[in-house]
Amino acid sequence: MMDIDALIDEVIAREGGYVHHPADRGGPTHWGITEAVARKQGYTGPVRDLPRTAAVAIYRDLYWTSPHFDRVAEHAPNIAAELFDTGVNMGPTTAVSFLQRALNALNREQKDYADIGVDGRIGDRSMTALRAFLKLRGDKGGVVLLKAMEALQGERYLRLAEQRPANEAFLYGWLANRIGSLDTGEAA
């Protein structure tokens, strides 16, 4: 089973402590949690003082359990890890839409399983498609699916930098630390 605590520790290590980069539209963050997200979760103090335990709870709830990445982890741990990491950086809805788009594009015109709606939510249809894909394609298929999701993620990063030049300050780090960083080459 996927160790969500280890994934959270990796994200917190990558995100670091308090940061308030002038080019970041998300504003100040601590442990990678934006002030806006902390406020929505009931934290009222200065974000620079956000306890690590509060950040861990936010990551577990908003970026693992609520979007049902734990369900994905039961069948494809590497895909779930990618969903979690992308969800932290771009939002869970965007992460799930990458999975759904990739599954639709890889179903050979619905010969292998039916297309699913790209609604950014993990539900029964998304899980059915994922299980069907993995049953048909096996371990290698999980790696290919992960590559497809990362390709969509990389394209979005490039588009963000092209549309807003201030995002170029982050592009190198996004590509270096987010694309392929979870791909161990092991079966998904």
Side-chain angles (χ1 to χ4, degrees):
M1 186 55 145
M2 175 63 52
D3 184 0
I4 183 56
D5 294 321
L7 289 176
I8 292 171
D9 286 345
E10 289 171 18
V11 165
I12 288 176
R14 185 170 42 251
E15 295 290 343
Y18 178 78
V19 177
H20 190 180
H21 194 288
D24 189 347
R25 284 186 171 169
T29 66
H30 195 187
W31 311 115
I33 302 295
T34 66
E35 187 171 43
V37 167
R39 296 280 179 262
K40 285 181 184 175
Q41 296 304 299
Y43 181 73
T44 58
V47 74
R48 80 170 56 246
D49 296 334
L50 180 72
R52 188 180 192 283
T53 55
V56 168
I58 290 169
Y59 280 126
R60 183 180 309 280
D61 180 48
L62 289 184
Y63 301 101
W64 186 252
T65 308
S66 291
H68 304 294
F69 297 162
D70 53 337
R71 287 182 65 193
V72 174
E74 294 172 13
H75 305 280
N78 284 357
I79 298 297
E82 180 64 26
L83 288 167
F84 173 76
D85 188 66
T86 302
V88 165
N89 190 245
M90 297 183 167
T93 301
T94 299
V96 174
S97 74
F98 293 163
L99 171 64
Q100 291 168 329
R101 289 176 60 199
L103 284 168
N104 285 344
L106 290 167
N107 71 2
R108 297 182 321 129
E109 298 181 45
Q110 301 190 67
K111 290 180 180 115
D112 298 332
Y113 49 87
D115 278 344
I116 53 177
V118 180
D119 61 5
R121 294 179 303 185
I122 296 291
D124 291 338
R125 290 185 179 127
S126 294
M127 289 303 302
T128 297
L130 177 62
R131 286 190 300 268
F133 176 80
L134 293 172
K135 183 177 180 182
L136 179 70
R137 298 294 184 174
D139 292 345
K140 178 76 171 168
V143 173
V144 170
L145 181 59
L146 184 63
K147 288 179 181 183
M149 292 168 60
E150 289 178 337
L152 291 166
Q153 182 182 11
E155 190 282 329
R156 182 172 169 128
Y157 286 139
L158 290 170
R159 190 168 10 102
L160 288 170
E162 291 168 344
Q163 292 173 344
R164 182 174 177 259
N167 284 334
E168 290 180 13
F170 309 112
L171 182 60
Y172 184 88
W174 288 336
L175 294 171
N177 298 315
R178 298 285 182 177
I179 305 294
S181 64
L182 299 173
D183 184 6
T184 62
E186 297 172 10

